[in-house]
Structures are given as C-alpha cells and as structure tokens.
Amino acid sequence: MGYEICAEKGWVHRGNLYRLKELMKRAGRGDRMTMAFLGGSITQGSVSSQYTNCYAYLVYEWFVKRFPKTAFTYVNAGVGGTTSQFGVARVDEDVLAFKPDFVVIEFSVNDDNTDFYRETYEGLVRKVYGNAFEPAVLLVHNMFYDTGTSAEEKHREIGTHYQLPSVSMKPSIYERVVSGGIDRRELTPDDLHPNSEGHALLAEVITTCLDNIYAQRDEAEEPFPMPAPLTENAYEKARRLQNYNSSPVCEGFLADGTLKKYVNDMFRGGWTASKHGAKIGFEVEGTEIAVQYRKSVKHPAPVAVAVVDGDEENAVTLDANFEEDWGDSLHIDTLAHHISPGVHQVEIRLTQTHAEDVVPFYLTSIITA
C-alpha cells in the first residue's frame, strides 16, 4: 500500500554537507564503506515484519543501489528501550570499532526533551563526529504518532550547533497523520514503533534527503570544524564498567561469563546476586555515575539500593520487578550528575529478596563520565 507524504519537508536542517558529499564521491569511485545505525528499538527494527524492512536496512540498500561499484558493510546498533545516555557509553564498542564511514543517530523518542538529555546527546554527537575516521553523520528524529512528542527540540539544538544534516518525521509523516491523510494505525500498532509500512516511510524521508545531497555532491563545500561544546558536555568520554574491564569488590555477587552473541544481547558481562545483603563496590572517577540493571517481567525479583560515597540518605532504589509486559528492560538510573570531579565510591547491595524469586538481581554495568 502506498502513502503520500511530503518527504522533502523532512529535511529540517541542511547542515554542513562536506562529509556526506565526500562520502558519495568515494562511493562513486568504489571505495569499501561501512554504514552504521545507532539508536533505540525503531533502529533495531521493531516492529517491522523482518530486518530487511527496517528503515536502517532500507537506507543501507539506497547506498547499495546508488553505488553498485562499492562493497558496503551494514552495522545495525539499535537496542530497544535505551537512550543517548547509554548510547554515548556503548558507541565505541558497538559502532566506532567498525570504523564507520556513515553514522545515523536516532534517539528522539527514547530521550526526554530535557537539558539532561541534550547534554548526553551532545556527548554522543561529539564522540562520533570527532572520531579520527571522520564519519559522515545524519541525525534522525522520530516522534510518538498519537501526540507528536519527542526530544527533537533539544536534539535539534545540538544538530544545529554542529551543523549536522537532520531529518524529522514530524513535518513529513506526522503532519499527514494529523491532517487525516493517513490513519496512524496503518503505520504503527502502538503509536511508537512503525510497522513495515511505517519503516518504508521513514526510509523515504531519509533517502529523499540523500537524493538531494547526491544531486549537490559536486558543489564545493568546506569542512565544518568541531565547535566548543554547547552544554557542560560531561558525557563525551563516557564508558561502561563490566566484569571484563573492572575489578569491583564482590560479596555475594558473581560475574556472568556468558559470551555476548549480538549487539542487543544486553544481559551479558555483568554480575548476579540472589542473597539478601549481597553487595558489590566500585571505585570510579568522574562527575557522572549511572547504573544499569535488569528489570524483569518475571516476578518476584530482588530489590537493591545504590549508594554513592556512603550517602545513605540519597540512596537510589533499584527494583528489578518490571511492571510492563513487553520483555525484560535494560534499565538505567542516574546516581550522580555534575558532582565534584575525582574518585568516588559506589556500593550496590540487595535489600529485599524473596524465597520465591524467579530470577536473580542482574547488574549489567556502571556507566561513568
């Protein structure tokens, strides 16, 4: 079924096209290239009928068809239910390790439209745009189909600051939904995740932008230098601490040695605990601290607390019982934001366990910056 949208409207910020034009010139010569897509569940492909119907794969196919001399590698680093706060901590391993030539960043429906996520998003953008291999970067902004809400406002401030080309589904697809030209149930079952038809429209908006850039590829453009940060930019050097790159003090927590098989096989590399009073302690350095753990749909599950620098009064509760039913959640809680730089102590301990607990507490990682 075909849908009429004004895909041209989706290119909301032209940005500096130097890197994309150079990418297309190289592709025309037949250089090997890696195309990477980083985001949440929409980038991962939910709920398209198969992975080749995902917008990311359709955009990859645009390059394959446009530049038949070039061998392209496809990297899909979409992980459902995750934000740019996690994205900036995993982008080195999941994207930059592949030396990408092109990177799409998509987190506007996972992030909240707040200054906090403007800062984590900027850290991610700076880490990708500032990479030594100088990938071309395209920002993609999705929205909720029932309300049109997203973090696009804050994200576009970052995109404009770094002169990155950006596309939005709000003035293109959502406008047609609001006007009654498209019934949103034809595009999404839950007002968030596009079905195969919805993914095709996302790809159309993006590839229309790419078609326009392709038409301009021979027009001279100067590279855009990295500007000073717009925010306090505490997240550009974010990293994850897991059991293979840290040495916490464990009392009742056991390292999970199961190998990770694919990018969204997320409950790997962490630690498990089941007994009341079990604890694990980390010594970290930085001004930002967050904890990742599993919220499980299998109840009951243990409850823990996280304490920074012995501040029990401001302990953060980590309840592993997930009240939604779509699957286990890789949950992230911020423990400290813009605290004093230096070395800090983080302790996590189980405070509630049950004889009938179905799963253990799973600590996935500590994120620091």
Side-chain angles (χ1 to χ4, degrees), residues 171-241:
S172 49
I173 301 173
Y174 184 66
E175 183 177 279
R176 289 287 288 156
V177 171
V178 170
S179 68
I182 301 176
D183 181 345
R184 70 177 189 267
R185 279 294 164 266
E186 296 178 351
L187 304 182
T188 172
D190 59 4
D191 294 318
L192 172 58
H193 300 100
N195 56 23
S196 292
E197 289 77 12
H199 274 281
L201 289 185
L202 264 66
E204 181 181 341
V205 173
I206 297 169
T207 57
T208 297
C209 171
L210 294 174
D211 281 331
N212 287 326
I213 296 171
Y214 180 80
Q216 305 173 34
R217 69 191 183 285
D218 293 325
E219 298 174 10
E221 196 146 352
E222 294 298 318
F224 185 74
M226 177 75 84
L230 186 65
T231 69
E232 291 190 44
N233 189 42
Y235 290 88
E236 184 177 352
K237 296 182 179 179
R239 62 189 293 257
R240 297 180 77 202
L241 300 180

Side-chain angles (χ1 to χ4, degrees), residues 270-299:
W271 299 263
T272 61
S274 301
K275 293 184 179 180
H276 184 277
K279 58 185 178 181
I280 183 170
F282 297 82
E283 185 174 86
V284 304
E285 187 169 3
T287 64
E288 317 301 311
I289 307 170
V291 58
Q292 282 185 309
Y293 62 101
R294 179 178 63 195
K295 276 186 172 288
S296 177
V297 295
K298 299 176 181 178
H299 299 174

Side-chain angles (χ1 to χ4, degrees), residues 64-78:
V64 171
K65 293 173 182 176
R66 176 67 76 174
F67 303 102
K69 294 180 182 179
T70 297
F72 290 100
T73 299
Y74 173 65
V75 175
N76 189 318

